[in-house]
Amino acid sequence: MESALAGAAAITDPRQKVEQYKHILSSILTSNDVVRAKMLIDHMLSDDVPLVVSRQLLQTFAQDLGSLEPEIQKEIAHYTLNQIQPRVVSFEEQVLIIREKLAELYESEQEWSKAAQMLSGIDLDSGMRVIDDTYRLSKCVHVARLYLEDDDAVKAEAFINKASFLVSNSQHEVLNLQYKVCYARILDLKRKFLEAALRYYNISQIEKRQIGDEEIDEAALEQALAAAITCTILAAAGPQRSRVLATLYKDERCSKLKIYPILQKVYLERILRKPEIDAFAEELKPHQKALLPDNFTVLDRAMIEHNLLSASKLYTNISFDELGTLLGIPPHKAEKIASRMIYEDRMRGSIDQVEAVIHFEDDTEELQQWDQQIVGVCQSLNDILDGMAKKGFVIPV
């Protein structure tokens, strides 16, 4: 092998030199010989080979990597990337191809994070190559999607944040849609359920059925709508959640979904029983049932808060013991959750700790007062218009 490489290096004619090296490369790729492949890589990156020749040969080598057996391909590709690293500026195009090939291999093996790490090593801000914003956006979104396959929201968010600077000027509809889906999934994984619900609902309202080469089928839109409902139910109980629930409940498409019965009960502020909660839990993803620091799961907390808010519509007041029995938790925990919801203005009421009673406040009186104020404004405006008419002013209708 050494004599073959020395012989090729001694050839003075550039065309013959390249052809000889290509012949050596072809024999290595055919035999899947790791040792000889590493020797060739070391030789290509040495001072014995002109940069023009080594670039051309490494380009061919990178493009033909896929012909090697998977494990050998990984070993040689990683070795090549390590050896190139000190001179990576001179071989950016070749490194890009190797990384993309290796990422493609990892993706086919469902090694999502490894594929993402490989693509994330591509220098998208290089001054040596002309890279357009569409390519940058596609790589950022692709890396984010790969990390999301492993439910790694933190690393996915880092790349979606990079993509957010590019997506506003993007005319590529497929990439824009993929960005929106990734962003919604990240919010979902980070348990920002209300924001995720709004994003999912926005996606479910897409009217086009063909975006670029991608066909949007009804099943995908229904999946996004179901995800919006799930996230809304899991969101912190309060006025904002109620508004989103109203929007979803009034959407005719929701009535066709399997999740509709629980949406209906949550919207109508009915207390949910354990069998209903257990049936809902079967449809949830692992992060939506994760254990929180207070030893409640995400689902437990959402259901307790919902049932507490529903109870506030049924009762004028209730003791801690009765509330704990209703919610299926110890009385002191019921008091703590109620106090937090009142403090955060998600529920109206007050707590009498001496009597161990929660007093709920009704919004009806405030609404009546608001209605009276509107009537007063309308009456005053009517009086002004009548006065203007008596004085002969023309009043536009």
Side-chain angles (χ1 to χ4, degrees):
M1 181 64 182
E2 290 179 2
S3 59
L5 292 173
I11 298 172
T12 54
D13 183 82
R15 184 175 295 178
Q16 289 182 4
K17 184 190 287 281
V18 170
E19 288 302 319
Q20 183 61 28
Y21 277 127
K22 282 186 176 180
H23 176 71
I24 296 169
L25 175 60
S26 177
S27 67
I28 291 171
L29 293 173
T30 305
S31 62
N32 281 277
D33 192 324
V34 176
V35 176
R36 290 173 66 206
K38 289 180 178 180
M39 288 177 66
L40 177 63
I41 296 301
D42 291 339
H43 181 74
M44 286 296 102
L45 297 173
S46 69
D47 295 332
D48 296 337
V49 183
L51 184 60
V52 176
V53 175
S54 57
R55 274 180 176 167
Q56 187 177 345
L57 287 168
L58 282 171
Q59 183 91 357
T60 304
F61 171 73
Q63 289 168 343
D64 292 342
L65 261 178
S67 63
L68 294 170
E69 293 176 7
E71 293 306 315
I72 293 174
Q73 183 180 335
K74 289 178 197 174
E75 185 178 349
I76 294 174
H78 279 292
Y79 182 81
T80 305
L81 290 173
N82 288 333
Q83 296 303 102
I84 285 179
Q85 190 55 41
R87 300 177 61 190
V88 69
V89 176
S90 303
F91 298 99
E92 284 191 351
E93 189 67 34
Q94 292 74 23
V95 167
L96 184 148
I97 295 170
I98 292 170
R99 284 189 174 277
E100 286 186 335
K101 290 276 186 185
L102 205 47
E104 191 178 324
L105 176 59
Y106 280 131
E107 201 170 339
S108 69
E109 296 176 347
Q110 298 186 355
E111 294 276 1
W112 311 116
S113 291
K114 287 183 179 180
Q117 288 164 9
M118 202 46 58
L119 288 178
S120 64
I122 296 172
D123 186 1
L124 297 175
D125 300 313
S126 170
M128 303 299 291
R129 293 180 294 119
V130 178
I131 303 174
D132 63 8
D133 285 347
T134 300
Y135 180 82
R136 286 193 183 95
L137 178 61
S138 70
K139 288 302 166 205
C140 288
V141 170
H142 192 181
V143 172
R145 290 175 72 189
L146 289 169
Y147 277 128
L148 285 172
E149 289 296 328
D150 275 344
D151 289 343
D152 192 337
V154 176
K155 289 179 180 175
E157 187 177 25
F159 284 89
I160 280 297
N161 287 341
K162 290 181 183 179
S164 64
F165 294 105
L166 304 167
V167 76
S168 56
N169 298 320
S170 170
Q171 302 299 317
H172 199 292
E173 291 182 314
V174 174
L175 283 177
N176 294 352
L177 177 58
Q178 289 174 349
Y179 167 83
K180 289 178 182 178
V181 173
C182 284
Y183 199 80
R185 289 183 64 193
I186 288 168
L187 291 170
D188 188 350
L189 283 166
K190 292 184 74 180
R191 299 201 283 272
K192 295 182 178 180
F193 292 121
L194 205 57
E195 294 175 58
L198 292 171
R199 297 276 178 173
Y200 281 131
Y201 187 62
N202 185 37
I203 293 165
S204 77
Q205 291 180 302
I206 291 170
E207 294 180 358
K208 288 185 177 180
R209 292 295 176 269
Q210 187 74 35
I211 297 180
D213 297 330
E214 236 177 76
E215 189 174 336
I216 310 298
D217 60 1
E218 289 297 328
L221 297 179
E222 284 183 4
Q223 188 178 353
L225 186 60
I229 294 171
T230 300
C231 287
T232 306
I233 292 171
L234 292 173
Q240 288 181 310
R241 174 178 177 261
S242 297
R243 283 193 286 272
V244 180
L245 281 170
T247 302
L248 291 167
Y249 184 71
K250 291 170 186 174
D251 192 319
E252 293 178 357
R253 299 174 300 161
C254 293
S255 61
K256 301 172 187 175
L257 300 177
K258 183 181 177 182
I259 202 173
Y260 180 72
I262 194 165
L263 168 64
Q264 187 177 40
K265 289 192 175 182
V266 172
Y267 170 71
L268 296 173
E269 296 179 329
R270 294 175 183 166
I271 291 175
L272 296 171
R273 303 299 178 188
K274 193 174 185 306
E276 296 164 332
I277 295 170
D278 290 343
F280 177 56
E282 290 176 5
E283 306 297 324
L284 299 182
K285 297 173 183 174
H287 74 275
Q288 295 169 335
K289 297 184 284 186
L291 191 65
L292 300 172
D294 57 6
N295 288 327
F296 287 122
T297 66
V298 174
L299 175 62
D300 290 339
R301 178 181 284 182
M303 295 298 96
I304 289 168
E305 288 187 355
H306 165 76
N307 284 342
L308 182 50
L309 196 62
S310 299
S312 73
K313 308 297 181 184
L314 295 173
Y315 296 91
T316 305
N317 56 62
I318 189 170
S319 69
F320 295 162
D321 289 337
E322 289 175 345
L323 183 61
T325 302
L326 180 68
L327 300 178
I329 58 176
H332 71 278
K333 288 192 175 182
E335 179 196 358
K336 188 175 181 180
I337 293 170
S339 64
R340 186 178 67 244
M341 290 179 69
I342 293 169
Y343 174 75
E344 293 173 354
D345 288 330
R346 294 192 284 127
M347 184 174 70
R348 298 181 61 79
S350 59
I351 295 177
D352 185 340
Q353 289 186 317
V354 176
E355 297 294 333
V357 172
I358 298 175
H359 297 276
F360 299 114
E361 294 176 13
D362 196 352
D363 294 335
T364 307
E365 189 177 333
E366 282 192 5
L367 290 171
Q368 287 175 348
Q369 188 179 357
W370 176 252
D371 289 343
Q372 287 170 2
Q373 289 173 344
I374 293 173
V375 170
V377 170
C378 292
Q379 188 63 50
S380 299
L381 180 59
N382 196 50
D383 292 343
I384 293 168
L385 294 173
D386 286 345
M388 291 172 66
K390 286 177 183 177
K391 292 179 181 181
F393 288 101
V394 179
I395 300 171
V397 179

